[in-house]
Amino acid sequence: VQWSPFFENKLAVAASSNFGLVGNGRLYLLAVGGGPEGIMAERVYDTQDGLFDLAWSEVNENQLVTSSGDGSIKMWDVTLADFPIQNWQEHQREVFSVEWNLITKDVFSSGSWDHTVKIWNPQAPRSLQTYTEHTHCVYSTAWSPYNPSMLASASGDQTVKIWDTKSPRSIQTIHAHNNEILSVDWNKYQDNTFVTGSVDCTIKVWDMRRPDRELICLPGHEYAVRRVKCSPHRPNVVASAAYDMSVRFWDTAAPVGNNLMGVHDPHTEFVLGVDFNLYVEGQVASCAWDESVHVFVPPALLRR
């Protein structure tokens, strides 16, 4: 689930049938505040294989890319009714994540179960770069909001690797958890800081300059943490979505032990996605295997 970087009321959701194991996928474009339920589907696109992730274009308000279980990456234009406008088929396995560069805005990254990270330009027929150092599935990639050529990747090999697209090899490797790392995101206000979420049920905050140990470890989830997101509005707020069916909100500046700000737990299945609205401070969207999307403002995020 991802909010549009251009419109405060547009939301895109990538979906798969049968928990992404087998069967079709679907891309939903939703208007928040558009129907009796408060959310209305504006467009729906069907795909032959499950969709695992999506990323809105940072340059064209009508375009986005999706990553799929068949190894493909597709680009869509929401002004067109039926088919993707571009289709890349390079990855050998499921593509678990796509992420658009927030600064240069002209490239995006992908992470795959084939252990690779790839860099793409929407205008190019093939990937620009492929990184092959991970020894397990790459579950998540994230571009630095400060350095236009830097990105992080999180893998089942228990490491986060930092890449500079000017370099053919990773510039840093951090053994961040003693289990698979499913998600990574950069702090939008502190240029060396990023957050990880793992199968070990914890969220960790890291400073690249001190890679030997985390700044903070946030326990509390009962099952694997599937997604972490740093707030675009507050430097100390992190959201996490997990297989314990909850979304949790954390204050990384609070005294240790008092970091949990709030829990959103009406979902009845694994929560796979969470995102902050850039334009409406405190508004969050989450999506889960219960086939529902929640749009809400957690009480903890109302400005005190």
Side-chain angles (χ1 to χ4, degrees), residues 14-15 23-26 46-55 64-76 84-99 108-114 116 118 120 125 127:
N24 301 350
R26 191 168 278 178
D46 285 313
T47 57
Q48 290 190 325
D49 213 295
L51 298 181
F52 288 160
D53 200 14
L54 61 88
L64 68 165
V65 290
T66 55
S67 66
S68 179
D70 62 7
S72 72
I73 297 170
K74 294 177 169 61
M75 187 162 194
W76 306 83
I85 56 172
Q86 178 68 281
N87 186 40
W88 295 275
Q89 187 81 50
E90 274 186 42
H91 281 296
Q92 304 301 308
R93 296 278 313 275
E94 291 87 339
V95 185
F96 217 60
S97 81
V98 279
E99 170 97 354
F108 65 90
S109 57
S110 61
S112 168
W113 288 8
D114 66 11
T116 67
K118 287 179 181 280
W120 309 82
S127 61

Side-chain angles (χ1 to χ4, degrees), residues 99 140-142 152-154 160 162 181-186 194-197 227-228:
E99 170 97 354
S140 176
T141 60
S153 58
V160 169
I162 309 294
I181 307 169
L182 302 184
S183 186
V184 61
D185 194 34
W186 293 88
F194 63 87
V195 180
T196 54
R227 180 86 60 168
V228 289

